[in-house]
Amino acid sequence: MHMMIHGLLSLFTLAYASAVTGLTIQKRAVDFFDPALGGGSIFDNATFSGSPLNVIISGLSSPDVLTDKGILDYAQAIGLHSSQECLGFHLGAPQTANLGDGNGSLNQTMEFRQDFGHDVLGTCLESLLGGNHFLVWRQNGPQASSGALFLAASKEKDSSKNHDLVDDGYNIGRDELAVGAVGTKSHNGVTYETVAQKITGIMPAGSDGVNHGIAVDGIVILLTVTIQPKEQ
């Protein structure tokens, strides 16, 4: 009887605390939370025209993948490198996004560019020739702490075109990122297994409110990344 009363009191306390604070109970064992449910957006720069957050690395991925170092290593495994433009230089202000997790609008965590197989000079080639790149935000606020990483992927033209996007650049950037990620990839002795799933219903299709007026098809790719055990 004492244990039953104690359990009921614990449940009541948890429910009361949630009602008083208005916060969602902390939960990480999910792929992600829809940003719109918490007042956020599936587009970055949500108060203006924005770029779609068109790839999500699931919160059910191996925890080490979801850290800053983890996403850096994983990005290199799939052919992109962390670099703010060529050789670490950066042009333009960071973009912001609100993932509906209670953190409000935050600057991107990282930016990655296609490295063409060269860790140091590859991003210079991307700046000159164009290519794929993506920005990263982490959903870890008090209202929706999935730990998922939301990526804004796109494909750019070369530097002579001021890094404008290619036609259909958001859908193409998303698809090229997913194709390069799916399957087995390795970097620095770590092996990753990635599976992809198409998610609909959280991003509207069309060009309304989309940066550059480039239409999107409304599909978000969910990547679940699992680090494979090392062979003995």
Side-chain angles (χ1 to χ4, degrees):
M1 178 65 71
H2 175 74
M3 292 182 63
M4 181 180 296
I5 293 174
H6 178 74
L8 290 173
L9 286 174
S10 297
L11 288 173
F12 174 78
T13 301
L14 188 58
Y16 176 76
S18 179
V20 169
T21 60
L23 301 180
T24 301
I25 297 170
Q26 290 289 313
K27 186 168 79 170
R28 293 185 61 88
V30 294
D31 287 313
F32 65 92
F33 293 105
D34 182 350
L37 298 179
S41 175
I42 199 66
F43 293 89
D44 69 12
N45 297 322
T47 55
F48 304 100
S49 61
S51 301
L53 306 179
N54 49 13
V55 178
I56 301 173
I57 298 182
S58 168
L60 298 180
S61 300
S62 295
D64 285 349
V65 175
L66 303 175
T67 66
D68 286 354
K69 183 180 185 306
I71 185 60
L72 170 61
D73 290 342
Y74 179 66
Q76 291 175 326
I78 64 175
L80 293 103
H81 196 273
S82 177
S83 177
Q84 295 180 314
E85 310 297 347
C86 177
L87 297 177
F89 294 103
H90 179 62
L91 301 175
Q95 297 186 48
T96 64
N98 182 346
L99 300 184
D101 59 0
N103 281 335
S105 292
L106 296 178
N107 289 344
Q108 67 208 42
T109 300
M110 291 183 180
E111 180 172 357
F112 293 88
R113 294 183 176 277
Q114 190 171 353
D115 64 16
F116 294 94
H118 196 291
D119 285 353
V120 177
L121 298 179
T123 52
C124 295
L125 290 174
E126 195 277 343
S127 293
L128 290 171
L129 304 177
N132 212 359
H133 87 298
F134 67 87
L135 312 177
V136 183
W137 288 266
R138 180 177 290 106
Q139 190 178 57
N140 64 352
Q143 292 183 345
S145 186
S146 68
L149 302 178
F150 284 66
L151 316 182
S154 59
K155 186 165 186 177
E156 298 178 328
K157 297 178 181 178
D158 61 43
S159 58
S160 69
K161 306 296 192 302
N162 297 316
H163 285 199
D164 288 343
L165 299 190
V166 301
D167 295 341
D168 200 27
Y170 292 122
N171 294 334
I172 292 174
R174 174 203 63 201
D175 292 345
E176 288 191 358
L177 175 60
V179 168
V182 167
T184 304
K185 310 290 178 181
S186 297
H187 179 73
N188 279 347
V190 179
T191 300
Y192 306 90
E193 186 71 27
T194 302
V195 296
Q197 176 184 353
K198 292 182 178 180
I199 303 294
T200 59
I202 65 171
M203 177 186 292
S207 60
D208 288 349
V210 183
N211 202 21
H212 303 292
I214 296 176
V216 297
D217 58 14
I219 296 173
V220 175
I221 298 293
L222 178 70
L223 301 179
T224 303
V225 185
T226 305
I227 294 177
Q228 301 300 297
K230 293 184 178 180
E231 295 182 2
Q232 301 298 323

